[in-house]
Amino acid sequence: ATPNKFSCLLAPQGSPSMLSVDLLVLNRRQERTDDYNFDCSEVVREIVVPVDKPRQQQPALLKEIETTSLYTYLPDKGEIHCRQRSATFLLPSNENEMAMKMWQLSRGRAVDVRFYDVVYTRN
C-alpha cells in the first residue's frame, strides 16, 4: 500500500461499462503562512480505463488534476475555513487520436476549474 496511489472500480449510472480508475499523486506542497493560515496543493494523475473493453478498442483517458486549498483557522468560532480550487488538465495520448487533438486544442490550459468553500467544525 502507498499513500500516493488510489485505485477503484466505478459503475456510473448510464455507463455501458465499469471503469477502472487509478489516482497517482505526482506532487504535494504545503506552507504555513502564519499561526492561522495554512496552504497546500496536490497534483494527481487520473487514469480511467473501461474494464470490459480491450485496450486497443478503448484506450485510457488521462488527466491531471491540481487542487489548491487555503485554510484559515478561526479560533473564536472553533472553525477552519477552506477555499479550494480544483483545475483539470488534459494529457496527450498516442493511443487515442481524439484525446491528442483535445490536448492540442487546450494548449496547456485547464479544461475545468471549480471552486469550493468548506467549513470544518467540532461538535
Side-chain angles (χ1 to χ4, degrees):
T2 172
N4 297 321
K5 182 179 180 185
F6 175 77
S7 299
C8 66
L9 291 174
L10 299 177
Q13 189 173 16
S15 177
S17 65
M18 288 184 61
L19 302 174
S20 170
V21 179
D22 289 322
L23 300 175
L24 308 167
V25 176
L26 302 177
N27 192 17
R28 284 191 182 109
R29 181 186 162 131
Q30 66 278 334
E31 180 179 336
R32 183 175 168 179
T33 55
D34 59 39
D35 288 344
Y36 300 103
N37 293 285
F38 176 80
D39 304 337
C40 63
S41 68
E42 181 176 77
V43 177
V44 175
R45 178 160 297 153
E46 180 184 276
I47 305 166
V48 179
V49 181
V51 173
D52 59 348
K53 293 188 179 173
R55 187 98 185 218
Q56 301 86 348
Q57 190 179 18
Q58 187 72 34
L61 176 61
L62 306 172
K63 296 188 276 185
E64 282 186 3
I65 298 112
E66 177 185 75
T67 303
T68 303
S69 303
L70 310 175
Y71 294 95
T72 302
Y73 174 53
L74 303 172
D76 55 324
K77 291 184 170 185
E79 296 178 347
I80 297 173
H81 289 209
C82 176
R83 179 71 166 156
Q84 197 171 70
R85 176 187 182 266
S86 181
T88 302
F89 299 86
L90 300 178
L91 293 176
S93 172
N94 290 328
E95 300 174 357
N96 185 329
E97 187 177 330
M98 179 59 77
M100 182 62 90
K101 286 180 183 177
M102 290 172 59
W103 172 75
Q104 289 170 338
L105 289 172
S106 72
R107 295 180 165 178
R109 292 183 304 250
V111 294
D112 183 32
V113 178
R114 298 173 191 230
F115 291 89
Y116 301 93
D117 291 311
V118 182
V119 177
Y120 298 92
T121 61
R122 288 187 195 190
N123 290 333

